[in-house]
Amino acid sequence: MKDIDNQDDLYLLVDEFYKKLLADEKISYIFTDVVKIKLEEHLPILVTFWSQAVLGTGGYTKNLTQIHLDVSEKSYLSPELFKIWLDHFYAAVDENFAGEKAEQIKTNALSIATVMQIKIAQKNA
Ligand code: HEM
């Protein structure tokens, strides 16, 4: 299996990942009811974000943690939801890619998810 090495790979990854999220009713309502995302606009933003994180390109400038604090204000993003999110993300990576970048993107997602959860917990304390 190949590693992640360009933006087309990332597009495939986020596409497969969102298919899993949207097919899982334990989490899909966040994307369809709480925030009504438009996939054709959302997926390219995710590609830009992950490209910056693992391919070293630039272009993502927003405060990602704040965006998720705002989502969590509307509907609580619990530790259970983060686990579901991460499980689908890991599966989407492992079903399509293997290598250094594939490992890096999973570690990166876990660190970001951990920071988000700490900030959400602080806000709710
Ligand atoms: C429980 C877990 C999560 C849920 C339910 C969730 C849900 C969402 C939702 C609803 C949006 C759209 C927000 C909006 O447009 O107002 C969003 C955006 C986004 N999420 Fe998450 N998210 C989760 C975790 C994460 C994690 C751990 C990461 C990164 C490692 C991440 C990366 C992104 C990115 C890059 C965007 C695009 C933000 C932008 O528009 O600039 N998400 N997420």
Side-chain angles (χ1 to χ4, degrees):
M1 223 186 287
K2 74 189 280 299
D3 201 359
I4 298 166
D5 53 34
N6 58 49
Q7 303 221 349
D8 286 346
D9 294 338
L10 288 173
Y11 203 94
L12 185 140
L13 172 62
V14 298
D15 196 31
E16 293 298 317
F17 173 43
Y18 268 66
K19 279 184 197 153
K20 293 178 189 296
L21 288 178
L22 294 171
D24 182 345
E25 64 186 20
K26 293 194 294 304
I27 195 165
S28 61
Y29 68 95
I30 302 279
F31 300 92
T32 56
D33 296 353
V34 177
V35 180
K36 294 180 174 59
I37 58 149
K38 292 198 184 84
L39 265 190
E40 70 278 13
E41 291 170 11
H42 191 63
L43 294 186
I45 298 173
L46 299 181
V47 170
T48 303
F49 174 78
W50 285 118
S51 177
Q52 169 148 313
V54 299
L55 302 177
T57 58
Y60 190 83
T61 54
K62 285 187 270 173
N63 183 338
L64 192 61
T65 300
Q66 187 59 51
I67 289 172
H68 291 77
L69 282 170
D70 293 346
V71 175
S72 192
E73 283 290 294
K74 294 180 189 149
S75 181
Y76 176 50
L77 296 182
S78 63
E80 292 71 27
L81 282 177
F82 273 97
K83 185 180 184 311
I84 292 167
W85 189 102
L86 281 167
D87 284 348
H88 287 312
F89 190 78
Y90 291 172
V93 174
D94 291 339
E95 284 164 15
N96 294 288
F97 300 101
E100 202 180 311
K101 297 286 181 199
E103 290 310 308
Q104 193 190 327
I105 203 167
K106 288 185 285 181
T107 309
N108 213 319
L110 175 60
S111 330
I112 297 165
T114 305
V115 172
M116 284 178 184
Q117 288 182 84
I118 291 169
K119 300 277 184 191
I120 288 169
Q122 283 171 349
K123 210 169 166 188
N124 291 332

